[in-house]
Structures are given as structure tokens and as C-alpha cells.
Amino acid sequence: MTDQPRTGKVERKTAETSIEIAVNLDGTGTYDVSTGIGFLDHMVEQFSKHSLIDVTMKVEGDLHVDQHHTTEDSAIALGQALTDALGDKAGIGRYGSAYSPMDETLSRVSLDISGRPYLVWKAQFSQEKLGEWDTELIEHWFHSVAQSAGLTLHCELLYGTNNHHICESLYKGFARAMRIAVERDPRKGGAIPSTKGQLGG
Ligand SMILES: [Mn+2]
């Protein structure tokens, strides 16, 4: 097992979006995020801050159409950058869970960096928008990250009413669960955390 910081990088350009993302799993929660969607920036910043994963994310999307491509493609690219940084996943905790209280809201996020993408989503919003961001895209963001990072990801709102709190609680929970799951456990040495000897594929 090496002590080198685990970094990942993705550049993705289509007719709909142009994206540059860099992550450092062994960072300090430093971020520079610009997607053109204010609330999405706020959420990706929360992800970085509470996972301690450094995130640089520059997105130029076709927001004149709507926010779908920008949300989806930036989530896919973030998942790819995380996968790139994780490499063979040697020595990682693999699993992570977090409860996140935020005033009246409580959520639970539980995940496995399994290589088997799956999203269980049990949360709903009563507003159509947070800032200018369409709330129907929030589940889609988590679905896209789970797919491209190979996560088995369970996101549940246990209770809560304020839409800003609900969304932020889920992102903070995702961040804190990821922090635990990507952390290198020195007791594991460089072992792949699976009796199969590999994760994914
Ligand atoms: Mn907030």
C-alpha cells in the first residue's frame, strides 16, 4: 500500500456539456465548483467539505435547454473521477453509513463501493425547485453517481419538511459515508476488501 494521495481526473466533452473534474480522496475538503447551477454548486461543495475529498469541477452545460444534461453529466463525470482515484480499491473501508440531522430533518445514507451500481431512493420534495434547480434532478444526480462510481447506495429521508434541509442532509450524509468508505484502513494493508479478491467487473 502506498501513501501517495489518490487522485482522479476526468475531461468529458459532448454536444451538450463540457466538463473538467479533478478529485483527491486524501484531501482536506477543498473545493472549486462551478456548474452554472447555484444550488448544485452548493451541494457539491457540501460533498467535498464533509467527505474531505478535494473537488475541482468546471461545467459548461446547455442550460438554455434545461438543467438535465448539466446535472446528469457532471454527476457521471464525478463518479468516473472517483473511480479513477480509487484504482484497485486496495485497503479501503468499502462501506460507509451516516445519519445527518439538520434542524427538523433526519436522513440516513448507507453505501458500499461494491462495483455493483444500485440506488435505493426514499426521499421526496414538496417544492419543484431549490433555488433555480429542479428538485426532480436530485434523485437523478444520486442515480448517476451510483452508476458511474459503482456504488450500492441507499438514501433515505427518515423525516423532515424543509426542502433545503432535506437535500443538504442527504448530500452531507453521502459525503460522510463516502469519507468512511474511501478511507484506507492500515489494518487491511493493501488487501482488496472482498473475499472475491476484486470489487466490480
Ligand atoms: Mn444550505
Side-chain angles (χ1 to χ4, degrees):
M1 180 161 64
T2 156
D3 289 332
Q4 291 298 309
R6 295 164 295 171
T7 60
K9 208 170 190 173
V10 167
E11 288 184 26
R12 188 180 195 278
K13 202 170 169 64
T14 70
E16 296 168 345
T17 58
S18 174
I19 297 172
E20 289 180 23
I21 295 185
V23 299
N24 178 1
L25 302 183
D26 302 297
T28 56
T30 304
Y31 52 81
D32 182 6
V33 177
S34 168
T35 66
I37 302 171
F39 205 91
L40 177 56
D41 289 356
H42 184 38
M43 291 302 105
V44 176
E45 290 166 3
Q46 296 292 349
F47 170 71
S48 171
K49 190 67 163 177
H50 293 278
S51 65
L52 302 182
I53 296 172
D54 295 342
V55 178
T56 302
M57 179 184 285
K58 300 286 166 201
V59 185
E60 285 176 33
D62 57 354
L63 293 173
H64 60 283
V65 177
D66 68 8
Q67 302 163 336
H68 193 97
H69 302 140
T70 297
T71 302
E72 176 181 87
D73 293 358
S74 63
I76 290 169
L78 177 63
Q80 289 169 337
L82 292 169
T83 298
D84 185 30
L86 280 162
D88 65 3
K89 302 171 187 166
I92 65 168
R94 181 178 162 181
Y95 294 92
S97 296
Y99 284 87
S100 300
M102 197 163 174
D103 292 1
E104 87 299 339
T105 292
L106 184 68
S107 72
R108 175 174 56 204
V109 175
S110 194
L111 62 85
D112 175 12
I113 306 176
S114 60
R116 294 191 308 280
Y118 202 99
L119 176 69
V120 173
W121 181 263
K122 295 186 176 180
Q124 53 287 315
F125 297 92
S126 58
Q127 294 172 201
E128 278 187 18
K129 287 185 179 285
L130 276 166
E132 75 274 34
W133 197 28
D134 300 320
T135 52
E136 68 165 12
L137 295 174
I138 296 166
E139 176 181 354
H140 193 58
W141 187 94
F142 281 94
H143 177 80
S144 300
V145 166
Q147 286 292 320
S148 66
L151 307 177
T152 305
L153 176 60
H154 292 235
C155 298
E156 284 171 279
L157 170 65
L158 300 179
Y159 45 81
T161 52
N162 181 289
N163 282 247
H164 190 123
H165 292 163
I166 291 168
C167 187
E168 191 161 327
S169 163
L170 289 163
Y171 272 86
K172 285 176 169 170
F174 177 54
R176 291 167 47 241
M178 280 296 283
R179 183 189 168 183
I180 297 164
V182 305
E183 203 81 19
R184 285 187 285 210
D185 182 342
R187 287 178 64 193
K188 291 183 175 174
I192 311 290
S194 167
T195 53
K196 209 194 288 178
Q198 66 175 56
L199 282 167

